[in-house]
Each structure stands twice: as structure tokens, then as C-alpha cells.
Amino acid sequence: MEKEVKERTERKLNWNIKNRWEQRALDDVKRNSRFRDFARLSQQQQAFSNIQEFNSIDELYFFMDNMFTDGFDEHHISIALDVFLRDVVLFEEKDLNNPTFQQFLREVGRNMVTFEDEKNYVKVAQFLDWFCVNDKILWINLEQFMLRKERIFSADSYIKLLSHFSN
């Protein structure tokens, strides 16, 4: 029994690896820039595959109209932004003049203040940039909220946001 306790203690100190040199080798591999975290990549891919498929823009707008009646929050906006960014090539100019699209822009502007996830701010900037939205108030609000909530942003997010502002 004493031997088992000693072995458990050794493993606990060495993060469950008996040979500390193996742990250091593993740490070196993780620090290597070519290392890929396949668990994280699969989670991202799974999250992207969970986005609902739409056969047409009208079907997407019907879905969004239902979301407007149920209430629009950060989660709903994030889902809609994912769909818009994924299917950006399917949109034509007439689709961007649709009242549902215009209402979505108003909802984004109205709810942007409640965002708590930095990824959603990056998605909004990417969306406004890719869809060439020239609503100055939306851009100014995005900039103001970005400055007010600067503590939630990582350096990568700032770079992505600023690249969309520069366009």
C-alpha cells in the first residue's frame, strides 16, 4: 500500500508521467509552431458543421424573421453571422436590400453593447467589411464598444478587427 501511495505521489508531481524527460519532450512538441491541437480543431469543425444549412437566401430570411419574433440576443446574432459569413458568395445586391437584412443590421447595432465574447465583435467587423455595409453609425458603435471593452480582446482579435477597419 505504501508503494502505491508513493507511486501516485510521483505521478501527481510529474503530471501523471513517470519519466520527467518524456514530459519535457512533450512540452517541446507543444511549443513547436508546427504542433496542431487536433482536439481544438475538431471542436471548431464540429461547431462550424452545426450551423444550419439553407437552400436559398429566402429560406435564411424566413428563419431570421422567426428569430426576430422569438427575441434576438448575442447567441442568435452569432449564429446568423456564421451563416452570413459562410454563404457570403450567395448574396446578391437585391438580397442586401431586403427588409430582413436591414432589420438584422439594426438588431446588430442595438445588441452590440451586450456582447461578451470577443469572437462576436470580430465576426461583426468581418461581416460589415465583407458585405460592404456603409452605415457609419454601425462602424462607429463597433469602434466605441471595442475601445470600452478592450480588456476582453486578445492581440489576435485586435489585429483581425483592425484589418477589417482598414478596408
Side-chain angles (χ1 to χ4, degrees):
M1 174 144 165
E2 189 174 310
K3 183 180 177 184
E4 290 176 18
V5 171
K6 184 178 178 185
E7 188 176 317
R8 274 189 275 152
T9 308
E10 281 180 18
R11 284 189 179 188
K12 186 175 182 184
L13 292 175
N14 290 321
W15 292 280
N16 210 15
I17 294 180
K18 288 184 179 179
N19 185 345
R20 185 67 187 135
W21 295 108
E22 288 177 13
Q23 177 65 39
R24 287 186 181 159
L26 181 62
D27 290 342
D28 288 340
V29 169
K30 285 184 179 180
R31 278 189 223 115
N32 187 348
S33 63
R34 291 174 286 166
F35 175 75
R36 293 186 180 171
D37 187 356
F38 290 109
R40 189 187 66 172
L41 290 173
S42 68
Q43 286 175 349
Q44 289 174 346
Q45 187 68 307
Q46 183 181 14
F48 192 71
S49 66
N50 287 341
I51 299 173
Q52 186 167 350
E53 292 290 329
F54 297 100
N55 296 324
S56 69
I57 302 301
D58 293 331
E59 194 176 307
L60 168 66
Y61 284 154
F62 178 76
F63 176 74
M64 287 184 64
D65 283 332
N66 291 334
M67 285 173 62
F68 289 142
T69 58
D70 294 342
F72 225 51
D73 61 0
E74 182 178 11
H75 176 69
H76 291 114
I77 290 173
S78 178
I79 292 171
L81 287 170
D82 286 336
V83 171
F84 277 119
L85 294 173
R86 182 195 64 201
D87 297 338
V88 68
V89 296
L90 302 177
F91 286 88
E92 297 175 8
E93 190 171 341
K94 66 179 175 71
D95 298 322
L96 303 180
N97 294 326
N98 189 307
T100 303
F101 184 81
Q102 298 302 319
Q103 184 177 359
F104 175 71
L105 289 176
R106 286 190 298 275
E107 290 292 331
V108 167
R110 195 175 302 140
N111 290 309
M112 204 182 317
V113 69
T114 64
F115 288 0
E116 295 177 2
D117 188 4
E118 69 177 336
K119 293 176 185 173
N120 290 330
Y121 283 104
V122 173
K123 286 180 193 178
V124 168
Q126 188 176 10
F127 168 77
L128 294 176
D129 183 22
W130 286 7
F131 281 88
C132 300
V133 176
N134 59 359
D135 187 349
K136 293 177 184 175
I137 294 174
L138 273 174
W139 282 103
I140 290 170
N141 284 343
L142 179 61
E143 180 183 8
Q144 292 298 317
F145 297 135
M146 187 179 88
L147 294 174
R148 285 184 196 154
K149 297 184 177 190
E150 65 184 42
R151 288 184 222 112
I152 68 169
F153 295 109
S154 66
D156 291 337
S157 294
Y158 263 125
I159 291 169
K160 290 176 186 175
L161 280 165
L162 293 175
S163 70
H164 292 294
F165 273 100
S166 67
N167 293 335

